[in-house]
Every structure is written in structure tokens, then in C-alpha cells.
Amino acid sequence: MSLPSIEEIVDDLLFFDDWEDKYKYIIDLGKSLPVFDEAWRTPERLVKGCQSSVWIQPGSEQDSAKGEVLTFAVDSDAIIVRGLLGLVLAALNHKTPEEILAFDVTGYFESLDLERHLSPTRGNGLRSIVGRIQNIAKSAA
């Protein structure tokens, strides 16, 4: 199953009135992520700055319209963080390095009203995840 677009995610989250329903949606998004290869659970793939364990495995593939795009396999030991990873992937997966670096992540999170509803440590972890993906994109650009 592929992730919804960022527009669909924003619309879906705006549809819900309370944050309990939004959390359920985000958790379901995390459940839809592909299975992460156990061999990728290594220290060098672990994201520093996260309260939970988060692993990112970068890759790339050819896109007929864009050329080479970056891909990311991700996982976490926390169910809500897997959902947050789904939100990040909807925005940054299958994009060129330039698209990743140009994307307004802060504006995206603000449109979801996300950071106000996350603990400070979860918010810092989310920024660490995005930072890792942006650093991968900078190296690939």
C-alpha cells in the first residue's frame, strides 16, 4: 500500500475534530509502512536525537519524469513514531535531493498542527529525522 499524498493527509487530519482521532489516523499511517529489513537495524542507520529507536535506510531509484529520486525505508520501535515517519515519508520519499531540500517541512508540520500536540522530546526527534533525511539529500545533490 502506498502512502497518501501530503494534501490527502492534511485534508484527512483536518476532518477529525479531536486529537485522539488524529493520533489513531497517524498510527494507522505507520502500520501501512513497508516491513523494515532486520539487517538494517544497525547503529549507523539509527537516528540520534530520538527518544525512541528510529532507523533510516536510504536508497535511490530512477523516476521516468524526474530522473534519480531518493527513497527511504524507515522503522521505529514506537508505534506513534512509525506514524510520524509515515507523515515524513509522504512529504520526502521518492523526491529528488533538490525537492527534499526545497520542501517547507516546518510549514507542512504547522498545517498539520502537529508540534503543539507532541511532547518536546518527540518534536526534537521528528526534527532529527527530517535533518537526517535532508543531510542524505545534501550528500546526494
Side-chain angles (χ1 to χ4, degrees):
M1 176 181 148
S2 67
L3 289 169
S5 70
I6 57 174
E7 293 82 10
E8 291 169 316
I9 289 172
V10 171
D11 287 347
D12 289 346
L13 286 173
L14 288 175
F15 174 79
F16 298 114
D17 290 329
D18 74 22
W19 265 92
E20 193 165 317
D21 291 332
K22 292 180 186 198
Y23 282 128
K24 288 178 189 168
Y25 174 86
I26 292 169
I27 288 168
D28 286 343
L29 197 59
K31 290 177 182 174
S32 73
L33 292 176
V35 175
F36 193 78
D37 189 325
E38 285 297 318
W40 292 339
R41 290 178 185 265
T42 62
E44 56 275 359
R45 290 179 182 90
L46 199 59
V47 178
K48 308 282 185 281
C50 291
Q51 180 179 11
S52 307
S53 295
V54 173
W55 297 271
I56 297 176
Q57 170 60 36
S60 66
E61 61 185 42
Q62 283 300 119
D63 179 279
S64 58
K66 299 180 189 180
E68 188 172 10
V69 295
L70 297 179
T71 60
F72 302 94
V74 295
D75 199 16
S76 175
D77 59 355
I79 190 164
I80 188 68
V81 176
R82 275 185 62 87
L84 295 173
L85 287 165
L87 295 175
V88 171
L89 285 189
L92 303 178
N93 204 26
H94 296 281
K95 302 281 193 269
T96 65
E98 296 76 18
E99 286 174 318
I100 291 170
L101 295 171
F103 185 77
D104 180 10
V105 175
T106 302
Y108 172 50
F109 291 155
E110 285 173 0
S111 72
L112 299 175
D113 193 25
L114 193 60
E115 296 228 27
R116 196 162 58 94
H117 297 277
L118 294 177
S119 69
T121 52
R122 284 265 191 262
N124 289 338
L126 191 57
R127 283 187 286 282
S128 295
I129 292 163
V130 169
R132 170 69 77 86
I133 289 173
Q134 288 171 334
N135 285 337
I136 292 166
K138 282 178 193 162
S139 296

